Amino acid sequence: MEFLNSLIGELTSGTQMTLSLLFFLNIILLVLARPIVNVIAPNQDNKTKIRIFQSLNLLVIIFQIVDFALRRSLPEYGGGYFVNLGISLMVIYGGVFLYSLSGTISRKRFGKTRQLDNQTIYIETYNSRLVNIVLLSVIVLTVIYALIKIWGADSLLETTGIFGIFIAFMAFTSSIWAPDIVSGLIILNSDILVDGDVVVIDGFPDEFIIARVTLIYVVLYDVRNNHRTLLRNTQFIQSRIDNLSRIASSDGIRQSLKYNIGYPKFGKSVKARETELIKFQAKIDKLFMRSFEACKAKDEVKINRNKSFEWAMTNAGDYALEYTLWIYLDRIPNTKVTATIRRHLMGTMYKINESVFAASVIEDVDLSTPNLLSAQIETKTIVTK
């Protein structure tokens, strides 16, 4: 208790006004870390940022208490080392805070708005990202300069000092980070790939939701497996990307399903074969039309109800006729919830498959492909007879 009273008394003395402000400022920031971070970075998962800011505040407070304790117990301790550590952390804290705040302001000023999950969000654009890069450079250089001044290392400001080393380091490592920054600017400048879009990347079997495009990397949500994926910007745009959220026609996304239907049995005469062929084709048309009408009646099937199914015989195989059914899906909703996208894309295709099977039972169309063994048995039976 006596130690606490001595600490408070020294912090409230006139000679320690700067340290007093620093001490009480950290206490205030420690308490208000959550609302402050949520204001500068809204609609984001800020748990990590909050912990970082709170940890910095706690470290500064601990350094001040340690500095006070050493000055009270060790007369030979001149003081200042732990205080400088605390002030240095506050400078870094201020740099991170200013960059986060400037990023939010630049997105609102130079970015674009979009409705996502019934919320208005601000997304990055080419201009906002350029502003962020300039601000990041200014803030980093300012923080380095302030740290040098705090520790009295003015010699580092010379050409062969820290700035020279920093510039040389950036030049030698530019081949590593510069392509990703340029690729990120290309992504934003294209105005085709933005947060919340559902994409298919060449070489990856799954669909992804773009969660966030940063300076170096892009964060994706795997729709099928429900996990997060991280790709460098250069990896992301080095291959073909299909954006399912940006359709080329108002008809909707065009998907396909393939069905193998066994060859029908025909009569001996030309007229009989012609009549049976017409009946078979009419049965196929009824099959797919019935499935379309069944899907239209179900709200959970997300198809374009103004655009009927399309179908055609796409291959006459050795054992079956291959029919391809084309479906036009409704526009994908603006959301980052993977379950909603799964219901819209995969769930719809599964429901359509079920409706086609149900229609095949009603229309008496066999969707099973005759296998080679049964075909050989039938051939041997005919030869024997």
Side-chain angles (χ1 to χ4, degrees), residues 39-41 95-107 135:
V39 168
I40 64 175
V96 175
F97 176 82
L98 285 177
Y99 178 70
S100 300
L101 181 61
S102 62
T104 302
I105 295 174
S106 65
R107 278 196 300 271
L135 290 174

Side-chain angles (χ1 to χ4, degrees), residues 99 102-103 106-107 110-111 124-138 181-182 184-186 188-189 215:
Y99 178 70
S102 62
S106 65
R107 278 196 300 271
F110 303 102
E124 293 278 10
T125 62
Y126 182 79
N127 294 330
S128 66
R129 183 53 53 81
L130 281 178
V131 171
N132 285 341
I133 293 174
V134 173
L135 290 174
L136 177 62
S137 302
V138 173
I181 293 179
V182 174
L185 292 175
I186 292 173
L188 296 173
N189 190 47
L215 282 174

Side-chain angles (χ1 to χ4, degrees), residues 3 7 22-23 26-27 30 54-70 77 82-83 85-86 89:
F3 173 80
L7 174 62
L22 185 64
F23 184 81
N26 276 276
I27 293 178
L30 179 63
Q54 289 177 336
S55 299
L56 287 174
N57 295 137
L58 283 173
L59 279 175
V60 174
I61 295 172
I62 291 172
F63 285 154
Q64 284 192 267
I65 295 175
V66 170
D67 181 81
F68 173 77
L70 289 175
Y77 175 71
F82 285 98
V83 172
L85 278 179
L89 287 178

Side-chain angles (χ1 to χ4, degrees), residues 210-245:
I210 300 177
R212 188 183 177 194
V213 180
T214 68
L215 282 174
I216 305 298
Y217 59 87
V218 57
V219 180
L220 305 170
Y221 294 160
D222 193 315
V223 174
R224 292 180 183 265
N225 297 322
N226 210 30
H227 61 239
R228 300 190 183 194
T229 302
L230 187 143
L231 286 177
R232 292 178 58 180
N233 289 336
T234 51
Q235 292 177 303
F236 183 57
I237 66 171
Q238 70 181 0
S239 57
R240 168 179 166 176
I241 302 174
D242 295 326
N243 192 336
L244 303 184
S245 298

Side-chain angles (χ1 to χ4, degrees), residues 52 55 61 118 141 149 165 179 184 196 230 232 249 262 305 309 326 351 366:
I52 292 174
S55 299
I61 295 172
N118 297 322
L141 292 176
K149 285 296 185 180
I165 296 173
L230 187 143
R232 292 178 58 180
S249 170
R305 286 163 173 76
F309 292 167
W326 289 279
K351 294 292 183 182
D366 190 3

Side-chain angles (χ1 to χ4, degrees), residues 19 29 105 115 157 163 167 196 205 236 265 348-349:
L19 296 180
L29 292 176
I105 295 174
Q115 290 294 127
L157 296 175
F163 279 107
I167 293 173
F236 183 57
K265 296 180 180 180
T348 294
M349 300 304 292

Side-chain angles (χ1 to χ4, degrees), residues 321-364:
L321 300 171
E322 181 188 82
Y323 278 83
T324 302
L325 177 67
W326 289 279
I327 303 104
Y328 293 89
L329 301 182
D330 199 3
R331 184 182 292 273
I332 294 178
N334 294 328
T335 180
K336 289 185 180 180
V337 181
T338 55
T340 302
I341 302 300
R342 277 199 300 272
R343 287 194 297 268
H344 191 97
L345 292 178
M346 299 83 188
T348 294
M349 300 304 292
Y350 297 152
K351 294 292 183 182
I352 293 172
N353 215 14
E354 291 178 0
S355 69
V356 171
F357 171 71
S360 70
V361 174
I362 296 173
E363 298 295 338
D364 192 24

